[in-house]
Amino acid sequence: MSVTTCRGKLLPKQCLQELFDAVAARYRVLGPVAQNGAVAWKPVAKVEEMVLEYPDTVLPPKQWLHRPMETLFSVKKSLELQEAEVLQEPQALFALHACDLTGILRLDVVFSKHYKDPYYNQRREETLLVVMNCVRPPGPNCFCSSMEGGPFAQEGFDIVLTDIGESYLVETGSARGQEVIGPLGLEEASEEAFQVKQARYQQSVAKMPKSLNNDGLPDILNQELNHPHWGFMKEQCLGCGNCTMVCPTCYCYSVMDRLDLTLSNATRVRTWDSCQLMEFSAVHGGNFRKDRAARFKQWVYHKLDYWIDQYGTLGCVGCGRCISWCPVKIDLTEAIREVRGDGK
Ligand code: SF4
Ligand code: SF4
């Protein structure tokens, strides 16, 4: 796979704050911040508040587009409808990993293919994406190169930075990105800078700690609906839903109405939901996926099989979060290796 080769600029590393300030002049900046021994996406005012080399954030940056909980609208007793305020000001996600950018691009399809979700899309249209390419796989569970998720951004970014030594190679992928970078008057990048970028891409791919062989996987999965490993998973998996909550592409949600104690105001709220939870498949008259193995399988099959029919891509970007944050260390790459039985 070749990496983006449009013309770029050079930004000395010590000048990263200047680029940040140019972004912050137009957008509320959200970045990766160390918190309680992990890393979380938070509002930031300076580069030094961020951790630029981070394994992964617990929750993906998706949380700022598809909110974990949000009010859709409220209604007063008088039947007066009040629309929710979706976004107060434009926002920028700064130092995104390529896998999380890919996650956002895959959610763009989900939230616009059949029905254009107004809440997601309003935020998305007002969000600048600034990617920091992973010149080395940042975590022990990364396998993005197997899933066309990274480690370098290929498309869909506004600005992408690549560490090439003393400087960042800065490339833009949109007019909005160009508006931010243009006034900085950065030096034009040489051909050598692009060669360094290409070499760093290959080094990063070579060091990827995990892999998932998705060659012909949908057919294999469809033949292995009753593979004994799914039964083994029933004993292992706790059905806690962590894997779906941290996933950059999971999008399922639940909607509920809340009434205040005076009975004069109702709000319609949506919250993230998970196919791994028993209640998710409870419908009138029963539950169609009571079995934990069936729920685990649904999650795997949706990511690696059904998603292709639905949206034309894989539903996994190889970020490794589901492995990192599974309390019993279930590893999607190992599960697929078991089911394929090919040792790859
Ligand atoms: S399934 Fe796991 S590795 Fe794949 S995108 Fe979701 S959290 Fe990341
Ligand atoms: S995080 Fe692990 S234990 Fe929890 S539902 Fe997912 S696979 Fe099962």
Side-chain angles (χ1 to χ4, degrees), residues 233 236-244 246 274 276-277 292 296 299 321-323 325-331:
M233 280 298 119
Q236 299 292 306
C237 175
L238 307 175
C240 66
N242 266 15
C243 48
T244 54
V246 299
S274 167
Q276 296 275 32
L277 301 177
R292 267 205 312 277
F296 183 82
W299 173 64
R321 281 187 181 89
C322 56
I323 307 169
W325 301 104
C326 173
V328 290
K329 294 294 165 225
I330 287 173
D331 182 333

PDB file of all heavy atoms in Angstrom, residues 233 236-244 246 274 276-277 292 296 299 321-323 325-331, ligand 2:
ATOM      1  N   MET A 233     -15.946 -19.556  23.864  1.00  0.00           N
ATOM      2  CA  MET A 233     -16.151 -18.127  24.172  1.00  0.00           C
ATOM      3  C   MET A 233     -17.287 -17.920  25.165  1.00  0.00           C
ATOM      4  O   MET A 233     -17.275 -17.008  25.972  1.00  0.00           O
ATOM      5  CB  MET A 233     -16.449 -17.357  22.875  1.00  0.00           C
ATOM      6  CG  MET A 233     -15.232 -17.033  22.054  1.00  0.00           C
ATOM      7  SD  MET A 233     -14.116 -15.970  23.000  1.00  0.00           S
ATOM      8  CE  MET A 233     -12.693 -16.995  23.077  1.00  0.00           C
ATOM      9  N   GLN A 236     -15.780 -18.053  28.414  1.00  0.00           N
ATOM     10  CA  GLN A 236     -14.796 -17.006  28.693  1.00  0.00           C
ATOM     11  C   GLN A 236     -15.441 -15.625  28.848  1.00  0.00           C
ATOM     12  O   GLN A 236     -15.120 -14.875  29.761  1.00  0.00           O
ATOM     13  CB  GLN A 236     -13.784 -16.929  27.535  1.00  0.00           C
ATOM     14  CG  GLN A 236     -12.988 -18.205  27.321  1.00  0.00           C
ATOM     15  CD  GLN A 236     -12.044 -18.488  28.467  1.00  0.00           C
ATOM     16  OE1 GLN A 236     -11.244 -17.645  28.824  1.00  0.00           O
ATOM     17  NE2 GLN A 236     -12.160 -19.663  29.047  1.00  0.00           N
ATOM     18  N   CYS A 237     -16.296 -15.286  27.899  1.00  0.00           N
ATOM     19  CA  CYS A 237     -16.826 -13.919  27.817  1.00  0.00           C
ATOM     20  C   CYS A 237     -17.779 -13.629  28.971  1.00  0.00           C
ATOM     21  O   CYS A 237     -18.639 -14.447  29.292  1.00  0.00           O
ATOM     22  CB  CYS A 237     -17.534 -13.751  26.471  1.00  0.00           C
ATOM     23  SG  CYS A 237     -18.349 -12.157  26.281  1.00  0.00           S
ATOM     24  N   LEU A 238     -17.609 -12.453  29.579  1.00  0.00           N
ATOM     25  CA  LEU A 238     -18.458 -12.059  30.708  1.00  0.00           C
ATOM     26  C   LEU A 238     -19.726 -11.353  30.253  1.00  0.00           C
ATOM     27  O   LEU A 238     -20.585 -11.035  31.065  1.00  0.00           O
ATOM     28  CB  LEU A 238     -17.680 -11.122  31.639  1.00  0.00           C
ATOM     29  CG  LEU A 238     -16.325 -11.617  32.144  1.00  0.00           C
ATOM     30  CD1 LEU A 238     -15.635 -10.521  32.944  1.00  0.00           C
ATOM     31  CD2 LEU A 238     -16.505 -12.869  32.988  1.00  0.00           C
ATOM     32  N   GLY A 239     -19.801 -11.026  28.972  1.00  0.00           N
ATOM     33  CA  GLY A 239     -20.963 -10.297  28.478  1.00  0.00           C
ATOM     34  C   GLY A 239     -21.047  -8.887  29.058  1.00  0.00           C
ATOM     35  O   GLY A 239     -22.137  -8.342  29.236  1.00  0.00           O
ATOM     36  N   CYS A 240     -19.880  -8.282  29.332  1.00  0.00           N
ATOM     37  CA  CYS A 240     -19.872  -6.982  30.016  1.00  0.00           C
ATOM     38  C   CYS A 240     -20.089  -5.813  29.062  1.00  0.00           C
ATOM     39  O   CYS A 240     -20.493  -4.724  29.469  1.00  0.00           O
ATOM     40  CB  CYS A 240     -18.548  -6.792  30.750  1.00  0.00           C
ATOM     41  SG  CYS A 240     -17.126  -6.653  29.642  1.00  0.00           S
ATOM     42  N   GLY A 241     -19.774  -6.009  27.776  1.00  0.00           N
ATOM     43  CA  GLY A 241     -19.973  -4.938  26.792  1.00  0.00           C
ATOM     44  C   GLY A 241     -18.812  -3.974  26.663  1.00  0.00           C
ATOM     45  O   GLY A 241     -18.872  -3.041  25.852  1.00  0.00           O
ATOM     46  N   ASN A 242     -17.724  -4.165  27.442  1.00  0.00           N
ATOM     47  CA  ASN A 242     -16.571  -3.249  27.338  1.00  0.00           C
ATOM     48  C   ASN A 242     -16.070  -3.132  25.898  1.00  0.00           C
ATOM     49  O   ASN A 242     -15.732  -2.053  25.425  1.00  0.00           O
ATOM     50  CB  ASN A 242     -15.398  -3.768  28.183  1.00  0.00           C
ATOM     51  CG  ASN A 242     -15.376  -3.161  29.557  1.00  0.00           C
ATOM     52  OD1 ASN A 242     -16.356  -2.574  29.985  1.00  0.00           O
ATOM     53  ND2 ASN A 242     -14.259  -3.312  30.248  1.00  0.00           N
ATOM     54  N   CYS A 243     -15.990  -4.282  25.203  1.00  0.00           N
ATOM     55  CA  CYS A 243     -15.407  -4.289  23.854  1.00  0.00           C
ATOM     56  C   CYS A 243     -16.181  -3.373  22.919  1.00  0.00           C
ATOM     57  O   CYS A 243     -15.595  -2.716  22.046  1.00  0.00           O
ATOM     58  CB  CYS A 243     -15.349  -5.717  23.315  1.00  0.00           C
ATOM     59  SG  CYS A 243     -16.891  -6.617  23.525  1.00  0.00           S
ATOM     60  N   THR A 244     -17.484  -3.298  23.085  1.00  0.00           N
ATOM     61  CA  THR A 244     -18.284  -2.451  22.196  1.00  0.00           C
ATOM     62  C   THR A 244     -18.220  -0.984  22.631  1.00  0.00           C
ATOM     63  O   THR A 244     -18.240  -0.096  21.789  1.00  0.00           O
ATOM     64  CB  THR A 244     -19.747  -2.918  22.188  1.00  0.00           C
ATOM     65  OG1 THR A 244     -20.209  -2.975  23.533  1.00  0.00           O
ATOM     66  CG2 THR A 244     -19.880  -4.294  21.557  1.00  0.00           C
ATOM     67  N   VAL A 246     -15.705   0.614  23.871  1.00  0.00           N
ATOM     68  CA  VAL A 246     -14.433   1.262  23.503  1.00  0.00           C
ATOM     69  C   VAL A 246     -14.183   1.231  21.995  1.00  0.00           C
ATOM     70  O   VAL A 246     -13.198   1.796  21.518  1.00  0.00           O
ATOM     71  CB  VAL A 246     -13.233   0.617  24.236  1.00  0.00           C
ATOM     72  CG1 VAL A 246     -13.384   0.770  25.743  1.00  0.00           C
ATOM     73  CG2 VAL A 246     -13.053  -0.845  23.854  1.00  0.00           C
ATOM     74  N   SER A 274     -25.137  -1.921  23.503  1.00  0.00           N
ATOM     75  CA  SER A 274     -24.163  -2.953  23.131  1.00  0.00           C
ATOM     76  C   SER A 274     -24.847  -4.285  22.846  1.00  0.00           C
ATOM     77  O   SER A 274     -25.635  -4.777  23.664  1.00  0.00           O
ATOM     78  CB  SER A 274     -23.164  -3.142  24.284  1.00  0.00           C
ATOM     79  OG  SER A 274     -22.406  -4.311  24.072  1.00  0.00           O
ATOM     80  N   GLN A 276     -23.483  -6.962  23.092  1.00  0.00           N
ATOM     81  CA  GLN A 276     -22.960  -7.948  24.042  1.00  0.00           C
ATOM     82  C   GLN A 276     -23.813  -8.022  25.322  1.00  0.00           C
ATOM     83  O   GLN A 276     -23.636  -8.929  26.128  1.00  0.00           O
ATOM     84  CB  GLN A 276     -21.511  -7.599  24.435  1.00  0.00           C
ATOM     85  CG  GLN A 276     -20.531  -7.655  23.290  1.00  0.00           C
ATOM     86  CD  GLN A 276     -19.990  -9.061  23.054  1.00  0.00           C
ATOM     87  OE1 GLN A 276     -20.687 -10.047  23.274  1.00  0.00           O
ATOM     88  NE2 GLN A 276     -18.759  -9.161  22.587  1.00  0.00           N
ATOM     89  N   LEU A 277     -24.707  -7.068  25.502  1.00  0.00           N
ATOM     90  CA  LEU A 277     -25.527  -7.055  26.718  1.00  0.00           C
ATOM     91  C   LEU A 277     -26.822  -7.828  26.482  1.00  0.00           C
ATOM     92  O   LEU A 277     -27.438  -7.723  25.409  1.00  0.00           O
ATOM     93  CB  LEU A 277     -25.852  -5.615  27.126  1.00  0.00           C
ATOM     94  CG  LEU A 277     -24.650  -4.707  27.406  1.00  0.00           C
ATOM     95  CD1 LEU A 277     -25.114  -3.295  27.725  1.00  0.00           C
ATOM     96  CD2 LEU A 277     -23.795  -5.270  28.541  1.00  0.00           C
ATOM     97  N   ARG A 292     -24.596 -16.246  25.654  1.00  0.00           N
ATOM     98  CA  ARG A 292     -23.423 -15.355  25.539  1.00  0.00           C
ATOM     99  C   ARG A 292     -22.612 -15.649  24.296  1.00  0.00           C
ATOM    100  O   ARG A 292     -22.074 -14.750  23.658  1.00  0.00           O
ATOM    101  CB  ARG A 292     -22.534 -15.484  26.778  1.00  0.00           C
ATOM    102  CG  ARG A 292     -22.852 -14.478  27.864  1.00  0.00           C
ATOM    103  CD  ARG A 292     -21.656 -14.195  28.758  1.00  0.00           C
ATOM    104  NE  ARG A 292     -20.992 -15.380  29.221  1.00  0.00           N
ATOM    105  CZ  ARG A 292     -21.363 -16.114  30.267  1.00  0.00           C
ATOM    106  NH1 ARG A 292     -22.418 -15.770  30.974  1.00  0.00           N
ATOM    107  NH2 ARG A 292     -20.692 -17.190  30.622  1.00  0.00           N
ATOM    108  N   PHE A 296     -21.526 -12.921  21.517  1.00  0.00           N
ATOM    109  CA  PHE A 296     -20.136 -12.716  21.118  1.00  0.00           C
ATOM    110  C   PHE A 296     -19.992 -12.911  19.598  1.00  0.00           C
ATOM    111  O   PHE A 296     -19.362 -12.125  18.898  1.00  0.00           O
ATOM    112  CB  PHE A 296     -19.211 -13.696  21.865  1.00  0.00           C
ATOM    113  CG  PHE A 296     -17.764 -13.500  21.559  1.00  0.00           C
ATOM    114  CD1 PHE A 296     -17.026 -12.513  22.196  1.00  0.00           C
ATOM    115  CD2 PHE A 296     -17.124 -14.278  20.602  1.00  0.00           C
ATOM    116  CE1 PHE A 296     -15.681 -12.308  21.893  1.00  0.00           C
ATOM    117  CE2 PHE A 296     -15.787 -14.085  20.289  1.00  0.00           C
ATOM    118  CZ  PHE A 296     -15.062 -13.094  20.947  1.00  0.00           C
ATOM    119  N   TRP A 299     -21.298 -10.010  17.554  1.00  0.00           N
ATOM    120  CA  TRP A 299     -20.351  -8.889  17.526  1.00  0.00           C
ATOM    121  C   TRP A 299     -19.251  -9.159  16.486  1.00  0.00           C
ATOM    122  O   TRP A 299     -18.968  -8.325  15.629  1.00  0.00           O
ATOM    123  CB  TRP A 299     -19.761  -8.695  18.939  1.00  0.00           C
ATOM    124  CG  TRP A 299     -18.674  -7.695  19.017  1.00  0.00           C
ATOM    125  CD1 TRP A 299     -18.773  -6.351  18.775  1.00  0.00           C
ATOM    126  CD2 TRP A 299     -17.305  -7.939  19.359  1.00  0.00           C
ATOM    127  NE1 TRP A 299     -17.552  -5.753  18.947  1.00  0.00           N
ATOM    128  CE2 TRP A 299     -16.637  -6.715  19.306  1.00  0.00           C
ATOM    129  CE3 TRP A 299     -16.591  -9.087  19.721  1.00  0.00           C
ATOM    130  CZ2 TRP A 299     -15.282  -6.589  19.585  1.00  0.00           C
ATOM    131  CZ3 TRP A 299     -15.248  -8.957  20.004  1.00  0.00           C
ATOM    132  CH2 TRP A 299     -14.611  -7.719  19.930  1.00  0.00           C
ATOM    133  N   ARG A 321      -8.442  -1.879  20.876  1.00  0.00           N
ATOM    134  CA  ARG A 321      -9.033  -1.492  22.174  1.00  0.00           C
ATOM    135  C   ARG A 321      -9.834  -2.634  22.799  1.00  0.00           C
ATOM    136  O   ARG A 321      -9.831  -2.808  24.012  1.00  0.00           O
ATOM    137  CB  ARG A 321      -9.959  -0.281  21.989  1.00  0.00           C
ATOM    138  CG  ARG A 321      -9.267   1.051  21.878  1.00  0.00           C
ATOM    139  CD  ARG A 321     -10.324   2.154  21.875  1.00  0.00           C
ATOM    140  NE  ARG A 321      -9.746   3.479  21.752  1.00  0.00           N
ATOM    141  CZ  ARG A 321      -9.502   4.071  20.584  1.00  0.00           C
ATOM    142  NH1 ARG A 321      -9.773   3.451  19.452  1.00  0.00           N
ATOM    143  NH2 ARG A 321      -8.985   5.285  20.552  1.00  0.00           N
ATOM    144  N   CYS A 322     -10.554  -3.384  21.971  1.00  0.00           N
ATOM    145  CA  CYS A 322     -11.396  -4.447  22.546  1.00  0.00           C
ATOM    146  C   CYS A 322     -10.535  -5.477  23.268  1.00  0.00           C
ATOM    147  O   CYS A 322     -10.998  -6.116  24.220  1.00  0.00           O
ATOM    148  CB  CYS A 322     -12.258  -5.102  21.466  1.00  0.00           C
ATOM    149  SG  CYS A 322     -11.320  -5.752  20.080  1.00  0.00           S
ATOM    150  N   ILE A 323      -9.277  -5.620  22.830  1.00  0.00           N
ATOM    151  CA  ILE A 323      -8.357  -6.548  23.502  1.00  0.00           C
ATOM    152  C   ILE A 323      -7.840  -5.881  24.779  1.00  0.00           C
ATOM    153  O   ILE A 323      -7.829  -6.465  25.859  1.00  0.00           O
ATOM    154  CB  ILE A 323      -7.179  -6.913  22.573  1.00  0.00           C
ATOM    155  CG1 ILE A 323      -7.697  -7.431  21.222  1.00  0.00           C
ATOM    156  CG2 ILE A 323      -6.252  -7.918  23.247  1.00  0.00           C
ATOM    157  CD1 ILE A 323      -6.634  -7.578  20.150  1.00  0.00           C
ATOM    158  N   TRP A 325      -9.068  -3.607  26.679  1.00  0.00           N
ATOM    159  CA  TRP A 325     -10.004  -3.290  27.757  1.00  0.00           C
ATOM    160  C   TRP A 325     -10.959  -4.433  28.085  1.00  0.00           C
ATOM    161  O   TRP A 325     -11.890  -4.247  28.861  1.00  0.00           O
ATOM    162  CB  TRP A 325     -10.764  -1.994  27.430  1.00  0.00           C
ATOM    163  CG  TRP A 325      -9.794  -0.871  27.262  1.00  0.00           C
ATOM    164  CD1 TRP A 325      -9.386  -0.310  26.092  1.00  0.00           C
ATOM    165  CD2 TRP A 325      -9.029  -0.224  28.293  1.00  0.00           C
ATOM    166  NE1 TRP A 325      -8.426   0.654  26.318  1.00  0.00           N
ATOM    167  CE2 TRP A 325      -8.189   0.734  27.662  1.00  0.00           C
ATOM    168  CE3 TRP A 325      -8.964  -0.348  29.695  1.00  0.00           C
ATOM    169  CZ2 TRP A 325      -7.300   1.544  28.372  1.00  0.00           C
ATOM    170  CZ3 TRP A 325      -8.082   0.464  30.401  1.00  0.00           C
ATOM    171  CH2 TRP A 325      -7.269   1.395  29.736  1.00  0.00           C
ATOM    172  N   CYS A 326     -10.720  -5.607  27.525  1.00  0.00           N
ATOM    173  CA  CYS A 326     -11.525  -6.783  27.905  1.00  0.00           C
ATOM    174  C   CYS A 326     -11.024  -7.282  29.255  1.00  0.00           C
ATOM    175  O   CYS A 326      -9.837  -7.591  29.403  1.00  0.00           O
ATOM    176  CB  CYS A 326     -11.383  -7.880  26.850  1.00  0.00           C
ATOM    177  SG  CYS A 326     -12.194  -9.416  27.371  1.00  0.00           S
ATOM    178  N   PRO A 327     -11.893  -7.378  30.258  1.00  0.00           N
ATOM    179  CA  PRO A 327     -11.420  -7.779  31.589  1.00  0.00           C
ATOM    180  C   PRO A 327     -10.859  -9.192  31.632  1.00  0.00           C
ATOM    181  O   PRO A 327     -10.112  -9.529  32.544  1.00  0.00           O
ATOM    182  CB  PRO A 327     -12.673  -7.643  32.477  1.00  0.00           C
ATOM    183  CG  PRO A 327     -13.824  -7.599  31.543  1.00  0.00           C
ATOM    184  CD  PRO A 327     -13.329  -7.057  30.244  1.00  0.00           C
ATOM    185  N   VAL A 328     -11.219 -10.044  30.661  1.00  0.00           N
ATOM    186  CA  VAL A 328     -10.677 -11.414  30.666  1.00  0.00           C
ATOM    187  C   VAL A 328      -9.749 -11.643  29.471  1.00  0.00           C
ATOM    188  O   VAL A 328      -9.421 -12.769  29.128  1.00  0.00           O
ATOM    189  CB  VAL A 328     -11.810 -12.472  30.703  1.00  0.00           C
ATOM    190  CG1 VAL A 328     -12.504 -12.457  32.045  1.00  0.00           C
ATOM    191  CG2 VAL A 328     -12.824 -12.253  29.578  1.00  0.00           C
ATOM    192  N   LYS A 329      -9.318 -10.529  28.862  1.00  0.00           N
ATOM    193  CA  LYS A 329      -8.286 -10.552  27.806  1.00  0.00           C
ATOM    194  C   LYS A 329      -8.658 -11.413  26.596  1.00  0.00           C
ATOM    195  O   LYS A 329      -7.822 -12.127  26.041  1.00  0.00           O
ATOM    196  CB  LYS A 329      -6.925 -10.999  28.376  1.00  0.00           C
ATOM    197  CG  LYS A 329      -6.347 -10.007  29.377  1.00  0.00           C
ATOM    198  CD  LYS A 329      -5.993  -8.696  28.706  1.00  0.00           C
ATOM    199  CE  LYS A 329      -5.770  -7.569  29.700  1.00  0.00           C
ATOM    200  NZ  LYS A 329      -6.371  -6.304  29.390  1.00  0.00           N
ATOM    201  N   ILE A 330      -9.915 -11.373  26.224  1.00  0.00           N
ATOM    202  CA  ILE A 330     -10.305 -12.037  24.975  1.00  0.00           C
ATOM    203  C   ILE A 330      -9.715 -11.236  23.826  1.00  0.00           C
ATOM    204  O   ILE A 330      -9.762 -10.003  23.815  1.00  0.00           O
ATOM    205  CB  ILE A 330     -11.849 -12.142  24.878  1.00  0.00           C
ATOM    206  CG1 ILE A 330     -12.326 -13.209  25.866  1.00  0.00           C
ATOM    207  CG2 ILE A 330     -12.285 -12.483  23.450  1.00  0.00           C
ATOM    208  CD1 ILE A 330     -13.822 -13.317  26.014  1.00  0.00           C
ATOM    209  N   ASP A 331      -9.124 -11.956  22.876  1.00  0.00           N
ATOM    210  CA  ASP A 331      -8.367 -11.325  21.788  1.00  0.00           C
ATOM    211  C   ASP A 331      -9.034 -11.687  20.455  1.00  0.00           C
ATOM    212  O   ASP A 331      -9.043 -12.862  20.061  1.00  0.00           O
ATOM    213  CB  ASP A 331      -6.921 -11.846  21.860  1.00  0.00           C
ATOM    214  CG  ASP A 331      -6.014 -11.227  20.808  1.00  0.00           C
ATOM    215  OD1 ASP A 331      -6.519 -10.831  19.748  1.00  0.00           O
ATOM    216  OD2 ASP A 331      -4.794 -11.164  21.057  1.00  0.00           O
TER     217      ASP A 331
HETATM  218  S1  SF4 B   2     -15.072  -7.027  26.843  1.00  0.00           S
HETATM  219 FE1  SF4 B   2     -14.480  -9.191  26.816  1.00  0.00          FE
HETATM  220  S2  SF4 B   2     -15.723 -10.132  28.441  1.00  0.00           S
HETATM  221 FE2  SF4 B   2     -16.661  -8.126  27.989  1.00  0.00          FE
HETATM  222  S3  SF4 B   2     -18.254  -8.610  26.439  1.00  0.00           S
HETATM  223 FE3  SF4 B   2     -16.399  -8.036  25.318  1.00  0.00          FE
HETATM  224  S4  SF4 B   2     -15.362  -9.999  24.891  1.00  0.00           S
HETATM  225 FE4  SF4 B   2     -16.874 -10.392  26.513  1.00  0.00          FE
END
